[in-house]
Amino acid sequence: MLLVPFAMAGSPASAGPAHPATAYVGNLSTDSVIPVNTVTGKVGQAITVGEGTGPIAITPDGRTAYVAVDFGCHGRCQGDTVVPVETVTRKAGQAISVGSYVVGFAVAPDGKVVYADVGSGAVVPIRTATNTAGKAIMAGGGQFSQIAITPDGKTVYVTDPRLGTVTPISTATGTAGRPIKVGKDPSSIAITPDGKTAYVVNRGSGTVTPVSTATGTAGQAITVGYKPSSIAITPDSKTAYVASWDPGTVTPISTATDDARKPITIGGNPDCITITP
């Protein structure tokens, strides 16, 4: 699954930055992040961050974008770092070393910590107040792992495609819990807005595994189709939608019963999915 460096800033419900309603797009050819005003479509001046731009995360108040650099370069670029960008001034800050290339981020709901899922199989917490990296938490992970955080900010979940597991991390203690066996090659993870269930997409098994966040136990796998790639959950927590390559479908899952409904055929190879608020 290809991850496109892209993130949004600006929220009517927050104090917000001076540049609201902005999309930040990573540009590999210019080693920069480019702001795009989503209201006017106007492209802003590129912000140089470093070679190999990767995933981007933005704090809930919209004031800082965290940009992974050296994405996929494996040490041959600027060097396994995360660069904070102030969205008000649109200036890049000092690079934060995280030890390996970043494959994804999870941002704490209170915006105090950004968790970087790094390719070495660890999660590195970044304190947003100081822009400093904490001690790496070993939790499986790896090159194609995925990361998500519960709405209450208490637990981070990291998949391990090699072992077919998902590992919970306590944000209070910074320690990893017992890995939870899911399916083959977990490729995506999403947590219901009510925080009760983490749904793990198993690309190699053609299934989705529900995991209870309260007990840390995996439920019965739900068959969805060949090579499922991504999952998104409705704001009311009632339905999860799973995109699958073959036969080019999106499968709704009832979160109340964990039953798959009739797939919606869209054709091609659907690879990513998201839902409007």
PDB file of all heavy atoms in Angstrom, residues 128-152:
ATOM      1  N   THR A 128       5.646  17.543  22.043  1.00  0.00           N
ATOM      2  CA  THR A 128       5.433  18.700  21.176  1.00  0.00           C
ATOM      3  C   THR A 128       5.803  20.022  21.843  1.00  0.00           C
ATOM      4  O   THR A 128       6.081  21.003  21.161  1.00  0.00           O
ATOM      5  CB  THR A 128       3.967  18.759  20.711  1.00  0.00           C
ATOM      6  OG1 THR A 128       3.103  18.831  21.859  1.00  0.00           O
ATOM      7  CG2 THR A 128       3.602  17.519  19.903  1.00  0.00           C
ATOM      8  N   ALA A 129       5.824  20.064  23.169  1.00  0.00           N
ATOM      9  CA  ALA A 129       6.181  21.301  23.868  1.00  0.00           C
ATOM     10  C   ALA A 129       7.649  21.643  23.677  1.00  0.00           C
ATOM     11  O   ALA A 129       8.023  22.823  23.593  1.00  0.00           O
ATOM     12  CB  ALA A 129       5.869  21.173  25.359  1.00  0.00           C
ATOM     13  N   THR A 130       8.475  20.610  23.586  1.00  0.00           N
ATOM     14  CA  THR A 130       9.919  20.817  23.463  1.00  0.00           C
ATOM     15  C   THR A 130      10.490  20.315  22.147  1.00  0.00           C
ATOM     16  O   THR A 130      11.653  20.574  21.832  1.00  0.00           O
ATOM     17  CB  THR A 130      10.640  20.098  24.606  1.00  0.00           C
ATOM     18  OG1 THR A 130      10.314  18.685  24.560  1.00  0.00           O
ATOM     19  CG2 THR A 130      10.219  20.657  25.962  1.00  0.00           C
ATOM     20  N   ASN A 131       9.662  19.576  21.384  1.00  0.00           N
ATOM     21  CA  ASN A 131      10.117  18.952  20.140  1.00  0.00           C
ATOM     22  C   ASN A 131      11.348  18.074  20.372  1.00  0.00           C
ATOM     23  O   ASN A 131      12.350  18.147  19.649  1.00  0.00           O
ATOM     24  CB  ASN A 131      10.387  19.998  19.058  1.00  0.00           C
ATOM     25  CG  ASN A 131       9.106  20.508  18.436  1.00  0.00           C
ATOM     26  OD1 ASN A 131       8.103  19.787  18.383  1.00  0.00           O
ATOM     27  ND2 ASN A 131       9.117  21.739  17.957  1.00  0.00           N
ATOM     28  N   THR A 132      11.245  17.254  21.400  1.00  0.00           N
ATOM     29  CA  THR A 132      12.306  16.307  21.714  1.00  0.00           C
ATOM     30  C   THR A 132      11.764  14.882  21.693  1.00  0.00           C
ATOM     31  O   THR A 132      10.606  14.643  22.035  1.00  0.00           O
ATOM     32  CB  THR A 132      12.913  16.588  23.105  1.00  0.00           C
ATOM     33  OG1 THR A 132      11.856  16.591  24.085  1.00  0.00           O
ATOM     34  CG2 THR A 132      13.632  17.925  23.127  1.00  0.00           C
ATOM     35  N   ALA A 133      12.619  13.956  21.276  1.00  0.00           N
ATOM     36  CA  ALA A 133      12.228  12.557  21.206  1.00  0.00           C
ATOM     37  C   ALA A 133      12.519  11.850  22.516  1.00  0.00           C
ATOM     38  O   ALA A 133      13.576  12.058  23.121  1.00  0.00           O
ATOM     39  CB  ALA A 133      12.961  11.863  20.069  1.00  0.00           C
ATOM     40  N   GLY A 134      11.570  11.023  22.954  1.00  0.00           N
ATOM     41  CA  GLY A 134      11.762  10.232  24.151  1.00  0.00           C
ATOM     42  C   GLY A 134      12.369   8.891  23.824  1.00  0.00           C
ATOM     43  O   GLY A 134      12.769   8.619  22.691  1.00  0.00           O
ATOM     44  N   LYS A 135      12.417   8.029  24.815  1.00  0.00           N
ATOM     45  CA  LYS A 135      12.984   6.698  24.652  1.00  0.00           C
ATOM     46  C   LYS A 135      12.112   5.854  23.730  1.00  0.00           C
ATOM     47  O   LYS A 135      10.889   5.821  23.854  1.00  0.00           O
ATOM     48  CB  LYS A 135      13.111   6.015  26.010  1.00  0.00           C
ATOM     49  CG  LYS A 135      13.759   4.644  25.960  1.00  0.00           C
ATOM     50  CD  LYS A 135      13.856   4.039  27.351  1.00  0.00           C
ATOM     51  CE  LYS A 135      14.483   2.649  27.302  1.00  0.00           C
ATOM     52  NZ  LYS A 135      14.566   2.041  28.664  1.00  0.00           N
ATOM     53  N   ALA A 136      12.760   5.173  22.783  1.00  0.00           N
ATOM     54  CA  ALA A 136      12.036   4.310  21.855  1.00  0.00           C
ATOM     55  C   ALA A 136      11.377   3.155  22.599  1.00  0.00           C
ATOM     56  O   ALA A 136      11.953   2.574  23.521  1.00  0.00           O
ATOM     57  CB  ALA A 136      12.980   3.784  20.793  1.00  0.00           C
ATOM     58  N   ILE A 137      10.157   2.821  22.177  1.00  0.00           N
ATOM     59  CA  ILE A 137       9.402   1.724  22.772  1.00  0.00           C
ATOM     60  C   ILE A 137       9.372   0.575  21.770  1.00  0.00           C
ATOM     61  O   ILE A 137       8.802   0.716  20.678  1.00  0.00           O
ATOM     62  CB  ILE A 137       7.962   2.164  23.102  1.00  0.00           C
ATOM     63  CG1 ILE A 137       7.964   3.424  23.969  1.00  0.00           C
ATOM     64  CG2 ILE A 137       7.193   1.035  23.778  1.00  0.00           C
ATOM     65  CD1 ILE A 137       6.637   4.147  23.993  1.00  0.00           C
ATOM     66  N   MET A 138       9.981  -0.540  22.084  1.00  0.00           N
ATOM     67  CA  MET A 138       9.999  -1.681  21.172  1.00  0.00           C
ATOM     68  C   MET A 138       8.634  -2.364  21.194  1.00  0.00           C
ATOM     69  O   MET A 138       8.162  -2.780  22.248  1.00  0.00           O
ATOM     70  CB  MET A 138      11.096  -2.666  21.560  1.00  0.00           C
ATOM     71  CG  MET A 138      12.498  -2.070  21.514  1.00  0.00           C
ATOM     72  SD  MET A 138      12.889  -1.240  19.930  1.00  0.00           S
ATOM     73  CE  MET A 138      12.786  -2.630  18.788  1.00  0.00           C
ATOM     74  N   ALA A 139       8.013  -2.448  20.025  1.00  0.00           N
ATOM     75  CA  ALA A 139       6.652  -2.984  19.972  1.00  0.00           C
ATOM     76  C   ALA A 139       6.365  -3.695  18.662  1.00  0.00           C
ATOM     77  O   ALA A 139       5.264  -3.614  18.125  1.00  0.00           O
ATOM     78  CB  ALA A 139       5.646  -1.858  20.179  1.00  0.00           C
ATOM     79  N   GLY A 140       7.333  -4.390  18.128  1.00  0.00           N
ATOM     80  CA  GLY A 140       7.094  -5.083  16.863  1.00  0.00           C
ATOM     81  C   GLY A 140       7.261  -4.124  15.724  1.00  0.00           C
ATOM     82  O   GLY A 140       8.346  -3.614  15.461  1.00  0.00           O
ATOM     83  N   GLY A 141       6.176  -3.778  15.064  1.00  0.00           N
ATOM     84  CA  GLY A 141       6.242  -2.808  13.977  1.00  0.00           C
ATOM     85  C   GLY A 141       7.076  -3.306  12.818  1.00  0.00           C
ATOM     86  O   GLY A 141       7.088  -4.468  12.489  1.00  0.00           O
ATOM     87  N   GLY A 142       7.805  -2.392  12.188  1.00  0.00           N
ATOM     88  CA  GLY A 142       8.614  -2.757  11.033  1.00  0.00           C
ATOM     89  C   GLY A 142       8.272  -1.910   9.831  1.00  0.00           C
ATOM     90  O   GLY A 142       7.544  -0.922   9.920  1.00  0.00           O
ATOM     91  N   GLN A 143       8.795  -2.299   8.677  1.00  0.00           N
ATOM     92  CA  GLN A 143       8.739  -1.465   7.479  1.00  0.00           C
ATOM     93  C   GLN A 143       7.317  -1.122   7.037  1.00  0.00           C
ATOM     94  O   GLN A 143       7.062  -0.017   6.589  1.00  0.00           O
ATOM     95  CB  GLN A 143       9.481  -2.158   6.336  1.00  0.00           C
ATOM     96  CG  GLN A 143       9.603  -1.293   5.087  1.00  0.00           C
ATOM     97  CD  GLN A 143      10.469  -1.935   4.024  1.00  0.00           C
ATOM     98  OE1 GLN A 143      10.943  -3.058   4.185  1.00  0.00           O
ATOM     99  NE2 GLN A 143      10.680  -1.245   2.930  1.00  0.00           N
ATOM    100  N   PHE A 144       6.393  -2.056   7.141  1.00  0.00           N
ATOM    101  CA  PHE A 144       5.039  -1.809   6.657  1.00  0.00           C
ATOM    102  C   PHE A 144       4.009  -1.833   7.794  1.00  0.00           C
ATOM    103  O   PHE A 144       2.838  -2.137   7.582  1.00  0.00           O
ATOM    104  CB  PHE A 144       4.674  -2.834   5.583  1.00  0.00           C
ATOM    105  CG  PHE A 144       5.571  -2.786   4.383  1.00  0.00           C
ATOM    106  CD1 PHE A 144       6.514  -3.775   4.164  1.00  0.00           C
ATOM    107  CD2 PHE A 144       5.499  -1.726   3.494  1.00  0.00           C
ATOM    108  CE1 PHE A 144       7.358  -3.730   3.064  1.00  0.00           C
ATOM    109  CE2 PHE A 144       6.336  -1.665   2.392  1.00  0.00           C
ATOM    110  CZ  PHE A 144       7.272  -2.669   2.167  1.00  0.00           C
ATOM    111  N   SER A 145       4.444  -1.521   8.990  1.00  0.00           N
ATOM    112  CA  SER A 145       3.528  -1.515  10.131  1.00  0.00           C
ATOM    113  C   SER A 145       2.609  -0.305  10.082  1.00  0.00           C
ATOM    114  O   SER A 145       2.848   0.658   9.360  1.00  0.00           O
ATOM    115  CB  SER A 145       4.315  -1.536  11.442  1.00  0.00           C
ATOM    116  OG  SER A 145       5.189  -0.426  11.525  1.00  0.00           O
ATOM    117  N   GLN A 146       1.542  -0.378  10.870  1.00  0.00           N
ATOM    118  CA  GLN A 146       0.568   0.716  10.956  1.00  0.00           C
ATOM    119  C   GLN A 146       0.358   1.067  12.427  1.00  0.00           C
ATOM    120  O   GLN A 146       0.539   0.217  13.307  1.00  0.00           O
ATOM    121  CB  GLN A 146      -0.758   0.298  10.320  1.00  0.00           C
ATOM    122  CG  GLN A 146      -0.654   0.004   8.832  1.00  0.00           C
ATOM    123  CD  GLN A 146      -0.460   1.259   8.002  1.00  0.00           C
ATOM    124  OE1 GLN A 146      -1.229   2.202   8.105  1.00  0.00           O
ATOM    125  NE2 GLN A 146       0.585   1.269   7.186  1.00  0.00           N
ATOM    126  N   ILE A 147      -0.057   2.301  12.685  1.00  0.00           N
ATOM    127  CA  ILE A 147      -0.181   2.779  14.059  1.00  0.00           C
ATOM    128  C   ILE A 147      -1.484   3.549  14.228  1.00  0.00           C
ATOM    129  O   ILE A 147      -1.951   4.211  13.294  1.00  0.00           O
ATOM    130  CB  ILE A 147       1.035   3.655  14.431  1.00  0.00           C
ATOM    131  CG1 ILE A 147       1.035   4.031  15.916  1.00  0.00           C
ATOM    132  CG2 ILE A 147       1.104   4.890  13.550  1.00  0.00           C
ATOM    133  CD1 ILE A 147       2.334   4.676  16.379  1.00  0.00           C
ATOM    134  N   ALA A 148      -2.080   3.441  15.424  1.00  0.00           N
ATOM    135  CA  ALA A 148      -3.313   4.177  15.738  1.00  0.00           C
ATOM    136  C   ALA A 148      -3.361   4.404  17.238  1.00  0.00           C
ATOM    137  O   ALA A 148      -2.739   3.667  18.011  1.00  0.00           O
ATOM    138  CB  ALA A 148      -4.541   3.397  15.276  1.00  0.00           C
ATOM    139  N   ILE A 149      -4.106   5.424  17.660  1.00  0.00           N
ATOM    140  CA  ILE A 149      -4.230   5.752  19.077  1.00  0.00           C
ATOM    141  C   ILE A 149      -5.703   5.855  19.448  1.00  0.00           C
ATOM    142  O   ILE A 149      -6.540   6.285  18.643  1.00  0.00           O
ATOM    143  CB  ILE A 149      -3.494   7.078  19.404  1.00  0.00           C
ATOM    144  CG1 ILE A 149      -3.401   7.310  20.910  1.00  0.00           C
ATOM    145  CG2 ILE A 149      -4.120   8.252  18.675  1.00  0.00           C
ATOM    146  CD1 ILE A 149      -2.444   8.428  21.298  1.00  0.00           C
ATOM    147  N   THR A 150      -6.039   5.413  20.654  1.00  0.00           N
ATOM    148  CA  THR A 150      -7.424   5.464  21.112  1.00  0.00           C
ATOM    149  C   THR A 150      -7.867   6.909  21.326  1.00  0.00           C
ATOM    150  O   THR A 150      -7.037   7.786  21.609  1.00  0.00           O
ATOM    151  CB  THR A 150      -7.591   4.671  22.419  1.00  0.00           C
ATOM    152  OG1 THR A 150      -6.622   5.124  23.369  1.00  0.00           O
ATOM    153  CG2 THR A 150      -7.407   3.186  22.178  1.00  0.00           C
ATOM    154  N   PRO A 151      -9.156   7.189  21.207  1.00  0.00           N
ATOM    155  CA  PRO A 151      -9.657   8.561  21.372  1.00  0.00           C
ATOM    156  C   PRO A 151      -9.350   9.174  22.731  1.00  0.00           C
ATOM    157  O   PRO A 151      -9.243  10.399  22.847  1.00  0.00           O
ATOM    158  CB  PRO A 151     -11.171   8.400  21.171  1.00  0.00           C
ATOM    159  CG  PRO A 151     -11.315   7.198  20.308  1.00  0.00           C
ATOM    160  CD  PRO A 151     -10.222   6.272  20.749  1.00  0.00           C
ATOM    161  N   ASP A 152      -9.190   8.329  23.770  1.00  0.00           N
ATOM    162  CA  ASP A 152      -8.848   8.866  25.086  1.00  0.00           C
ATOM    163  C   ASP A 152      -7.343   9.062  25.261  1.00  0.00           C
ATOM    164  O   ASP A 152      -6.881   9.552  26.299  1.00  0.00           O
ATOM    165  CB  ASP A 152      -9.396   7.987  26.208  1.00  0.00           C
ATOM    166  CG  ASP A 152      -8.841   6.568  26.185  1.00  0.00           C
ATOM    167  OD1 ASP A 152      -7.883   6.294  25.435  1.00  0.00           O
ATOM    168  OD2 ASP A 152      -9.359   5.718  26.944  1.00  0.00           O
TER     169      ASP A 152
END
